[in-house]
Amino acid sequence: MFPTQVTLVDVGPRDGLQNEAAPVSAAHKIELVHRLQAAGLKEIEVTSYVSPKWVPQMADNAEVMAGIRRAPGVRYSVLTPNMKGLEGALAVPAARPDEVVVFAAASEAFSQRNINCSIAESVERFRPVVEAAHVAGLKVRAAISCAVGCPYQGEVSADEVERVVRLMKGLGVDHCGVADTIGVGTPRAVQRAMERALAHFPLVEVSGHFHDTYGQALANIYACLEMGVHTFDASVAGLGGCPYAKGATGNVATEDVVFMLHGMGIATGIDLDRLVDAGAWISGVLGRPPASRVGKALLAKRGVAVAAPASAATASSATASATA
Ligand code: HMG
Ligand code: MG
């Protein structure tokens, strides 16, 4: 039985822009958030409070959070991988998020290679973050990375997913997101991972986060809808992935998910035309056409020329002139 309504969390400002090689100004990030909320998005993942050495693009987190004009009914989330991050997110009361995100991998190989510690250790580090976030009245979302595939170990089993889900549940997180970080998941594998999240969290607190590297994300969302899952992350214009890293792509484009859902008679509260405008606008800032198929199709139908594919040089100069 399909849900009649779906909540989409636009993670473009964070998951999308964190991967951009050329700097994107705080003003453009703030404008993107404004355009997303004007299009009807009720949940926006804005930025991350992580080390600027690791992710320089998110170094302006405080400026972006402080610059957002809050819209009624919209929830803003940020990534906080440690106490330093949470303290940054809480520092200015008027710029606090509604929700914070912690993330751990389902694959032991990924955890060891990336953050040089075991999954259990990485989750344990979140304990004070979760406690302090709750004391501050924030909701805590957990993201389980590499839930269907890992660049180092290959396939990831449902048992491995459930192990992290249990650890996160033990920490007291409120929500569990199942993430296909490298976009290799296919519908049945995704359903098997989702089942394990649903064994510990209610339907309303489980979501899917699918990178579209292998073009499977819409099929995976459909497979989750069949299970009744009704919250998904997506990224306007399909932002994400490094434009200079071969094969890397962003999350499924929000425009594409909205088109599919509306076509199925499932409500999102999102105005697709305004969303396409937002996707075209940020793509123009970045100097490339939107990665969204729906965005491109609707812009072509309107007779709007989309930016030509940018080389590294033109991407930088387009961004530079746009930010000047
Ligand atoms: P670390 O190096 O182990 O931490 O990093 P550390 O405690 O040793 O600190 C190293 C330096 O970073 C220190 O600075 C700290 O002050 C600073 P120094 O003394 O050398 O000048 N630092 C910080 N600065 C600002 N904010 C902070 C912070 N923490 C430490 N919060 C850490 C640990 C996790 C912080 C680091 O590895 C990091 O920031 N990594 C980036 C992780 C990240 O953002 N990944 C991408 C997002 S996750 C994602 O995209 C997946 C998701 O989309 C789901 C999916 O698709 O799978 C969610
Ligand atoms: Mg992601």
Side-chain angles (χ1 to χ4, degrees), residues 32 236-237 239 255 274-284 290 299:
L32 176 61
V236 65
L239 293 180
E255 299 92 314
R274 293 187 85 169
L275 181 64
V276 167
D277 290 341
W281 174 80
I282 188 64
S283 300
L299 289 168

Side-chain angles (χ1 to χ4, degrees), residues 181-205:
T181 313
I182 55 170
V184 291
T186 46
R188 287 196 196 285
V190 164
Q191 284 180 333
R192 284 194 290 272
M194 273 291 168
E195 271 166 17
R196 303 305 181 98
L198 288 167
H200 300 272
F201 287 84
L203 200 48
V204 67
E205 294 300 354

Side-chain angles (χ1 to χ4, degrees), residues 214-299:
Y214 289 80
Q216 303 299 301
L218 280 181
N220 291 335
I221 289 175
Y222 186 94
C224 293
L225 291 170
E226 282 187 330
M227 303 171 80
V229 174
H230 51 82
T231 308
F232 299 97
D233 293 351
S235 181
V236 65
L239 293 180
C242 175
Y244 316 119
K246 223 177 178 178
T249 76
N251 291 86
V252 63
T254 316
E255 299 92 314
D256 297 3
V257 183
V258 169
F259 185 87
M260 180 180 84
L261 293 172
H262 289 183
M264 293 171 72
I266 298 173
T268 64
I270 294 169
D271 178 330
L272 182 57
D273 283 328
R274 293 187 85 169
L275 181 64
V276 167
D277 290 341
W281 174 80
I282 188 64
S283 300
V285 169
L286 299 171
R288 57 173 186 263
S292 164
R293 302 283 293 267
V294 167
K296 279 193 274 215
L298 291 181
L299 289 168

Side-chain angles (χ1 to χ4, degrees), residues 14-15 18 49-51 53 82 84-85 145 181 209 211:
R14 195 283 302 172
D15 203 350
Q18 76 178 5
Y49 286 79
V50 296
S51 163
K53 284 182 191 153
N82 56 15
K84 185 166 178 146
S145 290
T181 313
H209 174 110
H211 284 260

